[in-house]
Amino acid sequence: MSAIQKAVIPAAGLGTRFLPATKATPKEMLPVVDKPAIQYVVEEAVAAGLSDVLMVTGRNKRPLEDHFDRNYELEEALARKGDADRLAKVQESSDLATMHYVRQGDPRGLGHAVLCAAPHVGDQPFAVLLGDDLIDPRDPLLKRMAEIQAQEGGSVIALMEVDPAQIHMYGCAAVAPTGDSDVVRVTGLVEKPDPSEAPSNLAIIGRYVLDPAVFEVLRKTEPGRGNEIQLTDALQKLAEDESLGGPVHGVVFKGRRYDTGDRGDYLRAIVRLAAEREDLGPDFKKWLRDYVEEECP
Ligand code: G1P
């Protein structure tokens, strides 16, 4: 298995798409059913064997630190009541991983957020998980990416086929086939291209296993799209010139992915995940069926 131990989770974004909910609450704390979105992401990292998690935060992100810390007052109150189930739920997030935090003082883009992780990461390959993408735990992706990284060296990104009309919302990869049907060689990358100029319909989804050489490239990467330092631009340089830090491969994901960065997709994610839950699902689906019959003929 992989030697990758560290996960980096950028979480400094302002979450403006969810205002006013995100005026005083980080968007990462918005619940997906009954768990904050960010907890799913940390759970995914831990399930792939990454128990050292660095979150790149910013101002107004204190609730993230509190969520992954102990809450003695609440724990004592629940213990006194003998409410073991809820006590376990409270303790789950603080027992999950070894959490570290670094602040991104200026919001200068995803590439800059990843660069803030350099002192913590050191010189080992590491994973980056973006909080807006939730990957269904039944369809493990990171483990496969770590496997390819161990085999091929360099960096590995997660790709997914999207409707060509949607490609302008993502980083997009030009690729060449390999001997593995789910793995491609990345020959070029472009951040949020116009559909008419996109080299493929393969979108970068928010999972990366990166060679630490990316830090040196990021230090030299000029602001790109949106005047932000783009991780995609740094990876493009790595893909173009292997001598900088090995090749870039892509794992083409065909599993279930939920986008919680957009309000419509966020609602769809909640409905799906609630419907599949053993405790809530049966009643919720029954209500949903009736609701659809009555309200959405
Ligand atoms: C970021 C990346 C983009 C990637 C996307 C995946 O964009 O810059 O390349 O496709 O995440 O969610 P953002 O959605 O943060 O604008």
Side-chain angles (χ1 to χ4, degrees):
M1 254 320 291
S2 86
I4 298 169
Q5 285 155 4
K6 292 181 181 171
V8 173
I9 304 183
L14 295 176
T16 50
R17 282 189 275 184
F18 283 88
L19 282 170
T22 48
K23 182 180 173 189
T25 302
K27 69 167 174 174
E28 293 81 5
M29 289 302 295
L30 295 181
V32 176
V33 190
D34 51 7
K35 248 193 299 193
I38 193 74
Q39 190 175 331
Y40 290 85
V41 181
V42 175
E43 286 172 355
E44 182 193 335
V46 171
L50 312 171
S51 56
D52 179 305
V53 175
L54 175 74
M55 239 174 238
V56 185
T57 68
R59 280 178 290 281
N60 304 325
K61 297 284 184 170
R62 276 288 299 279
L64 288 174
E65 293 186 36
D66 291 340
H67 183 71
F68 292 100
D69 197 357
R70 303 291 298 269
N71 183 335
Y72 289 109
E73 232 179 358
L74 186 55
E75 287 176 44
E76 250 170 50
L78 291 167
R80 243 182 285 123
K81 276 199 218 165
D83 194 339
D85 282 356
R86 293 203 171 95
L87 180 59
K89 280 185 184 165
V90 168
Q91 289 172 336
E92 211 172 63
S93 53
S94 52
D95 292 345
L96 206 49
T98 310
M99 303 296 299
H100 305 270
Y101 301 89
V102 63
R103 278 190 182 215
Q104 182 187 17
D106 297 315
R108 292 169 56 202
L110 178 59
H112 179 247
V114 171
L115 193 48
C116 293
H120 180 81
V121 166
D123 61 1
Q124 294 296 313
F126 64 104
V128 174
L129 293 86
L130 305 189
D132 284 348
D133 291 294
L134 299 189
I135 303 295
D136 196 300
R138 292 165 294 184
D139 303 320
L141 167 61
L142 260 184
K143 267 198 178 151
R144 177 73 178 140
M145 295 173 69
E147 208 173 87
I148 301 300
Q149 200 282 334
Q151 197 179 298
E152 307 288 340
S155 298
V156 179
I157 61 178
L159 297 171
M160 197 165 184
E161 282 192 50
V162 298
D163 177 346
Q166 304 289 306
I167 198 74
H168 68 280
M169 295 169 15
Y170 299 95
C172 174
V175 302
T178 68
D180 285 320
S181 63
D182 64 332
V183 181
V184 289
R185 176 72 181 248
V186 175
T187 56
L189 286 164
V190 44
E191 179 68 3
K192 304 199 173 110
D194 190 89
S196 65
E197 281 158 21
S200 75
N201 67 337
L202 287 171
I204 305 177
I205 54 173
R207 299 294 179 271
Y208 308 78
V209 174
L210 301 176
D211 186 281
V214 75
F215 294 129
E216 204 37 51
V217 178
L218 278 168
R219 281 188 196 102
K220 295 183 192 139
T221 300
E222 297 290 326
R225 203 173 169 89
N227 204 26
E228 293 188 337
I229 297 172
Q230 297 291 350
L231 181 58
T232 305
D233 292 347
L235 291 170
Q236 154 64 16
K237 288 186 201 157
L238 288 173
E240 189 179 70
D241 181 355
E242 215 180 283
S243 72
L244 293 174
V248 180
H249 284 87
V251 168
V252 182
F253 183 60
K254 292 206 158 59
R256 286 158 281 194
R257 160 189 174 256
Y258 314 106
D259 184 346
T260 56
D262 168 86
R263 286 176 302 171
D265 287 334
Y266 171 73
L267 291 175
R268 284 184 271 278
I270 291 176
V271 171
R272 262 174 193 266
L273 291 171
E276 286 173 9
R277 280 268 295 256
E278 268 175 32
D279 52 349
L280 301 166
D283 277 354
F284 180 62
K285 276 194 283 197
K286 188 174 169 303
W287 172 84
L288 193 60
R289 221 176 287 124
D290 294 345
Y291 175 78
V292 170
E293 244 167 50
E294 283 162 30
E295 305 289 331
C296 322

